[in-house]
Amino acid sequence: MRRDAAAAAAALLCLGAACLLGRGFDPRAWLLPPHPGRLLSAAELARYRGAEGEPGLYLAVLGRVFDVERGRKHYGPGGAYSGLAGRDATRAFATGDFTPTGLVDDVSTLSPGEMLAILSWLSFYGENYEAVGKLVGRFYDENGAPTEALRQAEAAIEEALKVRAESEQRKQQFPPCNSEWSSAKGSRFWCSRQSGGVNRDWAGVPRKLYRPGSTGSHCVCVRTTGPPWGQPASTQHGDRGDLDNPHLEEYDGCHPLAEQCVLTGA
């Protein structure tokens, strides 16, 4: 039962992070130094797990301590997230690992996407719960000053934000195609004004997009008119949109300006 509860909590945690990342909050605001507040040791924080006779219910994310008493049903004893209380379990906010080895504050090996999940939860707690201070340890020293580990974590978050922004820009420029496959008809790729979840005023034509340094490709929709992406309309161009982008390749057997390609046997 305990394992099932941990799995359910992990699923909810990951789902929540995905929702938060799509909310459009200003994430960099949470990279600013927090209010000084109290300085707590790990032993002091461990007394705030919400059990009878304990002084309260706290948790920490990246060394920032929040009072989560108003969320007692989630974080108090027996709650789905009770393992997060009384400690800094930052890593678990990204991985969903609620085992003893996962409920730790080491984020040094996390991926960019996982660092963004941590940032989303830091934003959530900052918006919904009272920040009461900092935890002396990995992220803050005994004077409350940021440590090298915190600076590295914040740098990793900044880099992840940059990568995400670049990815979103690429998606706007080259929205993914619609696609389907059957054993009888093979693969079909086609473009529409909503393909890839990107609403736009053009449909485009299917092309293979190769990323630098990668041998694989995926189908994207490409504008066929106007200036290339990022260039003003007044710039001299051939009115071919992004068709001449060097990372694109036509599908064999498809008309260059067809809005769909059918690849039999693919």
Side-chain angles (χ1 to χ4, degrees):
M1 287 295 291
R2 183 174 298 176
R3 182 177 300 176
D4 292 340
L12 287 171
L13 195 64
C14 294
L15 178 60
C19 294
L20 286 166
L21 285 172
R23 286 175 48 191
F25 63 89
D26 179 9
R28 286 178 175 82
W30 296 100
L31 297 182
L32 299 175
H35 186 275
R38 298 169 54 188
L39 292 178
L40 291 89
S41 68
E44 288 174 314
L45 182 58
R47 296 176 57 235
Y48 286 80
R49 292 181 175 169
E52 185 176 352
E54 292 186 342
L57 186 57
Y58 291 177
L59 59 73
V61 184
L62 281 183
R64 302 190 190 188
V65 182
F66 297 93
D67 183 339
V68 293
E69 179 63 43
R70 61 191 295 263
R72 171 170 285 274
K73 68 178 181 180
H74 303 297
Y75 304 104
Y81 300 151
S82 60
L84 302 173
R87 69 175 88 199
D88 187 330
T90 300
R91 186 179 181 87
F93 284 94
T95 64
D97 182 357
F98 280 63
T99 67
T101 57
L103 291 167
V104 295
D105 57 2
D106 183 6
V107 298
S108 59
T109 60
L110 295 184
S111 69
E114 289 171 328
M115 294 304 293
L116 288 181
I118 289 172
L119 180 58
S120 72
W121 283 107
L122 186 60
S123 173
F124 169 79
Y125 288 110
E127 292 176 355
N128 294 279
Y129 295 96
E130 179 186 0
V132 296
K134 307 177 214 176
L135 175 64
V136 176
R138 184 181 296 273
F139 300 114
Y140 292 98
D141 66 20
E142 62 275 9
N143 298 313
T147 64
E148 181 60 25
L150 180 59
R151 286 189 284 270
Q152 291 178 0
E154 291 185 339
I157 289 173
E158 285 281 11
E159 182 61 26
L161 288 169
K162 179 181 177 182
V163 169
R164 186 177 69 172
E166 292 173 348
S167 177
E168 285 300 316
Q169 178 174 303
R170 283 195 300 270
K171 187 175 179 180
Q172 292 295 321
Q173 180 182 7
F174 296 124
C177 303
N178 299 304
S179 64
E180 64 179 11
W181 177 88
S182 71
S183 57
K185 298 181 180 180
S187 297
R188 180 169 78 99
F189 303 104
W190 75 99
C191 294
S192 66
R193 294 190 177 191
Q194 294 84 33
S195 61
V198 179
N199 293 318
R200 54 196 188 274
D201 59 4
W202 52 273
V205 297
R207 288 289 189 276
K208 298 178 185 177
L209 175 64
Y210 291 88
R211 292 182 179 176
S214 174
T215 58
S217 67
H218 65 281
C219 183
V220 297
C221 296
V222 181
R223 285 187 308 112
T224 61
T225 60
W229 179 267
Q231 295 188 20
S234 59
T235 302
Q236 282 282 41
H237 57 80
D239 193 33
R240 287 175 49 82
D242 290 307
L243 287 174
D244 298 321
N245 186 289
H247 301 300
L248 298 173
E249 181 180 313
E250 295 180 8
Y251 281 96
D252 292 337
C254 295
H255 189 281
L257 296 180
E259 292 187 357
Q260 75 166 356
C261 289
V262 178
L263 309 177
T264 58

